[in-house]
């Protein structure tokens, strides 16, 4: 097309149109390539998310779980499972770096929250089912590490404390008369099967109502009031509610537990409560809030080893209330029967005690 004069200016329409067309085509190509790259990146991200996504958060703990165990020559997994459990027990039994005096004879009352709050499903399958399963495992492991201990079970529901199981161990006692003024009573150690029977029936422990910390603690304290001073007195509370329905001042009950030297530990399934932390801090126990199922299991099993004894003695030349690194132990007089000459019938000589 020939050039046309327009106000003394030459305009080349062919060149102008061709430049505009080339620029438009170039911009379209750049935009198209950018959109294609963005779409590819989005598809890659969506694929990665689809692979990593889980239907439920609790399923993440079972991802590739088959790689944690190895089959033996016979194709069985039992040996691997036993080895895994043994490693866990050895890890908990490792001695600390410093020498700690621990209680050998332990008496424990397990307080279970049986209120309506335990039916929540924030922990799989429910708080109640998780508590029962963990309690069974805890009792079996506790007796494995504390063969001389005894356990009682108390439930909290409908605003009262319900005695589920008496302190484990037989009711028989042997009284050896050492002198006219003293006598020693030896109780048989507990049996884990007796305790497990008390919490075996799930329907008898169906949660209902509100819990009562004061009533349950008072019941546990009264069941341990007759115990000797050389044994430990402990209360472990598995608590899933955010309220407690108490008939009186629970701080009075706390003061009574402190005077009776009862150690209270709490494992919470919901959230921290001020009274629960006060119970643990003033009695020397442990307090923890479970974040998930595995954390709840770890918090509960941390209470299995015997607690360290806390005692104060006064050294010569030191302050009366100075704390010693290795306090003196309270010795308990013990005796064993001796066999008389073979010609005499078997008997017991009290003078050898």
């Amino acid at each position: 097309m020939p050039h046309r004069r327009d106000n003394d200016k030459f305009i080349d329409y062919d060149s102008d149109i061709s430049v505009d067309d080339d620029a438009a085509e170039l911009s379209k190509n750049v935009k198209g390539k950018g959109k294609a790259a963005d779409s590819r990146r989005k598809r890659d991200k969506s694929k990665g998310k689809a692979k990593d996504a889980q239907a439920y958060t609790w399923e993440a703990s079972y991802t590739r779980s088959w790689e944690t165990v190895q089959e033996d020559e016979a194709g069985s997994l039992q040996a691997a499972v036993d080895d895994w459990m043994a490693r866990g027990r050895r890890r908990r039994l490792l001695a600390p770096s410093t020498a700690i005096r621990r209680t050998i004879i332990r008496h424990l009352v397990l307080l279970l929250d049986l209120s309506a709050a335990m039916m929540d499903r924030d922990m799989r399958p429910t708080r109640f089912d998780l508590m029962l399963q963990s309690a069974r495992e805890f009792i079996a492991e506790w007796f494995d590490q504390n063969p001389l201990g005894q356990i009682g079970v108390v439930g909290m529901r409908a605003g009262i404390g319900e005695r589920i199981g008496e302190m484990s161990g037989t009711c028989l006692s042997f009284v050896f008369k050492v002198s006219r003024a003293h006598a020693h009573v030896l109780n048989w150690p507990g049996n884990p099967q007796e305790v497990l029977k008390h919490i075996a029936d799930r329907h008898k422990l169906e949660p209902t109502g509100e819990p009562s910390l004061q009533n349950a603690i008072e019941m546990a304290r009264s069941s341990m009031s007759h115990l000797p001073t050389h044994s430990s007195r402990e209360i472990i509370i598995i608590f899933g509610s955010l309220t407690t329905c108490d008939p009186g001042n629970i701080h009075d009950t706390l003061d009574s537990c402190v005077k009776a030297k009862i150690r209270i530990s709490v494992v919470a399934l919901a959230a921290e409560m001020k009274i629960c932390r006060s119970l643990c801090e003033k009695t020397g126990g442990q307090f923890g809030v479970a974040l998930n199922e595995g954390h709840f299991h770890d918090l509960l099993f941390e209470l299995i080893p015997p607690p360290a004894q806390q005692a104060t003695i006064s050294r010569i030349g030191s302050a009366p209330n100075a704390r010693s690194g290795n306090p003196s132990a309270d010795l308990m007089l013990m005796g064993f029967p001796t066999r008389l000459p073979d010609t005499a019938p078997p008997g017991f000589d009290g003078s050898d005690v």
Side-chain angles (χ1 to χ4, degrees), residues 255-272:
D255 295 338
S256 301
C257 292
V258 173
K259 293 179 181 178
K261 297 182 179 180
I262 297 177
R263 187 191 304 262
I264 301 178
S265 300
V266 179
V267 179
L269 293 173
E272 178 179 337

Side-chain angles (χ1 to χ4, degrees), residues 112 114 153-156 162-166 198-199 205 219:
L112 304 179
L114 302 179
V153 183
V154 174
M156 298 178 288
E162 180 179 348
R163 193 182 304 278
I164 299 175
E166 296 286 347
H198 299 317
I199 60 175
L205 306 176
M219 182 175 291

Side-chain angles (χ1 to χ4, degrees), residues 158-341:
I160 61 175
E162 180 179 348
R163 193 182 304 278
I164 299 175
E166 296 286 347
M167 190 73 70
S168 64
T170 60
C171 298
L172 299 177
S173 62
F174 294 92
V175 180
F176 299 99
K177 188 174 182 181
V178 180
S179 63
R180 294 181 179 179
H182 299 85
H184 294 275
V185 179
L186 303 179
N187 294 322
W188 289 103
N191 183 4
Q193 300 303 325
E194 296 180 2
V195 185
L196 293 175
K197 288 180 181 178
H198 299 317
I199 60 175
D201 193 352
R202 182 183 184 279
H203 298 288
K204 292 183 179 179
L205 306 176
E206 196 67 26
T208 180
E210 296 290 334
S212 177
L213 279 174
Q214 184 179 16
N215 288 333
I217 294 175
E218 285 289 352
M219 182 175 291
R221 185 177 66 87
S222 62
S223 64
M224 293 188 292
S225 60
H226 66 283
L227 297 177
T229 57
H230 60 263
S231 63
S232 69
R233 308 174 185 181
E234 305 171 43
I235 297 176
I236 295 180
I237 305 174
I238 301 178
F239 200 66
S241 177
L242 294 176
T243 58
T244 174
C245 182
D246 300 327
N249 189 354
I250 192 173
H251 292 280
D252 296 338
T253 302
L254 175 57
D255 295 338
S256 301
C257 292
V258 173
K259 293 179 181 178
K261 297 182 179 180
I262 297 177
R263 187 191 304 262
I264 301 178
S265 300
V266 179
V267 179
L269 293 173
E272 178 179 337
M273 293 177 60
K274 176 62 177 178
I275 185 59
C276 293
R277 180 169 287 278
S278 299
L279 289 171
C280 299
E281 291 179 350
K282 293 186 178 181
T283 60
Q286 300 181 23
F287 176 80
V289 179
L291 303 178
N292 49 47
E293 295 85 347
H295 189 217
F296 170 69
H297 186 274
D298 294 339
L299 290 176
L300 190 60
F301 272 61
E302 287 178 0
L303 303 174
I304 290 179
Q309 289 184 349
Q310 298 179 357
T312 57
I313 62 171
S314 58
R315 291 181 176 178
I316 299 177
S318 61
N321 295 329
R323 182 178 294 274
S324 172
N326 189 17
S328 61
D330 296 332
L331 301 180
M332 180 178 62
L333 183 63
M334 299 182 65
F336 301 92
T338 57
R339 182 69 179 270
L340 297 176

Side-chain angles (χ1 to χ4, degrees), residues 128-138 296-297 301:
F128 174 63
D129 294 321
L130 177 65
M131 177 189 66
L132 286 185
Q133 180 61 30
S134 300
R136 296 186 185 105
E137 298 175 1
F138 171 83
F296 170 69
H297 186 274
F301 272 61

